Amino acid sequence: MGKFIALKVGQGDSFYLEHEETSILVDGGRAQEYFPDLFEATTSKDKVDIIVCTHSDADHAYGILGFLKSHLTCKEVWLPGIWTDRLQDLLESENKFIEELVSRIDSLGNDDTEFKLEEYGDIHSEKIHTKLKETNGMDEKPISLIMDRIEESYSDVDFKLELTLNHYSYLPIIWKDRGSFKWDLFVEAIDTAKIIKEIASQAYHKGALIRWFQYDDRRSEGGEKGTLVPINSIEIIKVSPRKLDALEYLSLSRANKLSLVFHSEGNDNTPAVLFSADSDLSFNQEIPWTNGMIITAAHHGAESNKGFYDRYELDKGTKYIKPIWVRSDGKYAKRPGNWFTSITSDSKFCTLCRGGGKIKQNVHLGIVNSNWSAISTNLCSCK
């Protein structure tokens, strides 16, 4: 029997799936301290087989960190392969890495328009991804070397990164004051660096097997066939020397466009689940759309990810596919966008709908007659 729950995290995505004899947690929302109690109360579990972190955006990753730092246990942690590219530098030469980051941000133009780390990654993703491909296969080293460095550096697990904003006096005076876009970009970058460093370290010292999935726009391989497989990434066991600078590395790790998409394959008893993260599906791999599957709404149903819905409509063509849509979010005036609200379905659910004074809910689906069916869960009423 299968079970699917969209946990009512305060902000972001967190999904729990029981598939056959395997339990899976995909992302954990934004609240680090709050998440372990929420997970245990909602699932009645104190352990999970597989944890997946789709990308380093705070509203997906911080709950994962909270899980790993708590008494809860897991067997495997699946992480973005891009994290391996400069992780050794974060572990061995944190100060030098941050100095490089400051220099790179300072080289940007003095544009005071809204500018976020994931937006930088999305805008430049094609150029940055080309850089990664240029070094594939060159002087590859086993990932075990990075794991060794995590073990050696664990004595410093309190992370000087937490002190950075108060203790790095070399920040250029022109953007040292809070409020400038360069300052905000720096704060986001430091937050992302901390997430990467700490999740990798906590997972390793939790005793979990860490598996790495590198974004790829043409191939997909790895994972656990019949249980959970990647759609837009390949599982890697070696890393190549990269040419990404500190800002590119952190922005690509944070980018919505390149967040990892996973598919839980269905069977005769349990329909499939597509974990979309914040992807707009702008990759070339085939997506196995099937009737009755659960689809998690990309980027909380934001209009900026309309490309996701366009591709869904194009791929399914004239075929009859009636999925179950599940959207997780906090309270926002502009989310969901028109593409999500325009979906006509009697199987559409949100952890929190926009408008109507609804309270946040866990979206709980179980198997009834080999189909996903809502259990004590209200339908979407977004306005």
Side-chain angles (χ1 to χ4, degrees):
M1 297 294 288
K3 178 191 293 185
F4 175 92
I5 303 174
L7 283 78
K8 56 179 181 180
V9 291
Q11 179 184 347
D13 277 0
S14 183
F15 304 110
Y16 174 78
L17 174 66
E18 289 183 9
H19 179 81
E20 298 296 333
E21 297 180 356
T22 304
S23 56
I24 301 164
L25 174 66
V26 178
D27 293 333
R30 190 181 189 94
Q32 180 181 160
E33 301 298 330
Y34 161 74
F35 183 76
D37 288 342
L38 173 67
F39 175 86
E40 199 163 15
T42 303
T43 66
S44 300
K45 305 286 186 180
D46 61 2
K47 59 186 176 182
V48 69
D49 293 313
I50 300 171
I51 292 179
V52 178
C53 184
T54 61
H55 62 309
S56 61
D57 215 348
D59 66 349
H60 292 250
Y62 263 122
I64 296 297
L65 182 54
F67 184 108
L68 295 173
K69 294 175 75 171
S70 74
H71 67 283
L72 303 174
T73 61
C74 59
K75 293 179 181 178
E76 298 185 8
V77 180
W78 296 10
L79 300 178
I82 183 62
W83 290 12
T84 64
D85 288 27
R86 298 291 302 268
L87 181 56
Q88 192 163 352
D89 292 334
L90 276 176
L91 294 167
E92 293 180 338
S93 310
E94 183 181 290
N95 287 1
K96 288 182 64 176
F97 181 89
I98 296 174
E99 288 172 2
E100 177 191 335
L101 176 66
V102 169
S103 176
R104 182 66 181 87
I105 293 176
D106 195 41
S107 71
L108 299 173
N110 291 317
D111 184 357
D112 60 358
T113 58
E114 187 174 352
F115 194 101
K116 296 183 179 297
L117 194 66
E118 62 265 27
E119 291 172 358
Y120 182 91
D122 284 340
I123 291 168
H124 298 284
S125 60
E126 186 173 344
K127 179 184 71 175
I128 296 173
H129 194 51
T130 298
K131 268 190 175 184
L132 294 177
K133 288 181 177 179
E134 287 174 351
T135 56
N136 279 342
M138 294 173 52
D139 192 27
E140 288 186 329
K141 297 180 180 179
I143 288 180
S144 59
L145 295 179
I146 295 177
M147 297 298 98
D148 291 343
R149 284 299 298 123
I150 291 176
E151 182 171 17
E152 292 169 10
S153 67
Y154 192 65
S155 60
D156 191 29
V157 77
D158 288 334
F159 302 121
K160 291 173 287 184
L161 287 171
E162 291 182 340
L163 305 176
T164 299
L165 301 184
N166 296 323
H167 289 74
Y168 280 87
S169 60
Y170 51 72
L171 297 183
I173 192 67
I174 60 171
W175 56 276
K176 188 174 180 180
D177 292 335
R178 299 186 181 210
S180 71
F181 94 94
K182 290 186 178 181
W183 173 266
D184 291 341
L185 186 62
F186 175 71
V187 171
E188 285 186 303
I190 290 299
D191 185 53
T192 299
K194 181 177 181 295
I195 286 172
I196 293 171
K197 185 174 181 179
E198 196 161 1
I199 286 181
S201 296
Q202 294 289 350
Y204 181 82
H205 290 279
K206 194 82 170 179
L209 171 65
I210 302 178
R211 298 168 67 173
W212 303 91
F213 292 80
Q214 179 68 57
Y215 174 86
D216 195 290
D217 59 3
R218 296 189 178 277
R219 295 188 300 141
S220 57
E221 59 184 52
E224 294 296 329
K225 187 170 178 56
T227 299
L228 191 69
V229 295
I231 294 294
N232 63 345
S233 62
I234 58 174
E235 187 170 0
I236 58 173
I237 57 174
K238 293 183 179 180
V239 293
S240 300
R242 301 303 189 188
K243 298 179 181 178
L244 297 182
D245 64 46
L247 180 59
E248 289 174 333
Y249 166 65
L250 295 174
S251 64
L252 197 62
S253 299
R254 185 82 167 258
N256 293 328
K257 191 180 186 72
L258 305 186
S259 59
L260 303 182
V261 176
F262 288 89
H263 180 244
S264 176
E265 301 168 295
N267 55 38
D268 292 339
N269 299 316
T270 306
V273 181
L274 184 71
F275 296 101
S276 307
D278 288 349
S279 174
D280 63 1
L281 305 188
S282 57
F283 46 81
N284 295 284
Q285 293 93 322
E286 182 179 350
I287 299 170
W289 309 106
T290 51
N291 191 42
M293 73 186 307
I294 293 172
I295 303 175
T296 66
H299 201 190
H300 326 290
E303 195 65 19
S304 59
N305 279 54
K306 182 178 180 294
F308 176 99
Y309 189 57
D310 290 342
R311 174 159 181 187
Y312 165 75
E313 289 291 340
L314 180 65
D315 283 359
K316 76 182 184 69
T318 59
K319 292 188 296 184
Y320 178 77
I321 298 176
K322 184 180 179 182
I324 297 174
W325 295 90
V326 177
R327 189 183 74 91
S328 180
D329 205 2
K331 186 175 182 179
Y332 292 94
K334 294 183 179 180
R335 293 206 304 247
N338 291 335
W339 75 263
F340 183 82
T341 56
S342 66
I343 296 172
T344 56
S345 173
D346 57 1
S347 299
K348 187 168 69 169
F349 305 92
C350 298
T351 56
L352 181 64
C353 291
R354 184 180 63 198
K358 298 289 185 180
I359 62 172
K360 208 166 181 71
Q361 65 173 350
N362 293 311
V363 175
H364 188 181
L365 304 172
I367 298 296
V368 177
N369 296 326
S370 300
N371 295 306
W372 289 115
S373 182
I375 300 173
S376 302
T377 298
N378 297 315
L379 287 165
C380 170
S381 61
C382 287
K383 299 177 180 179

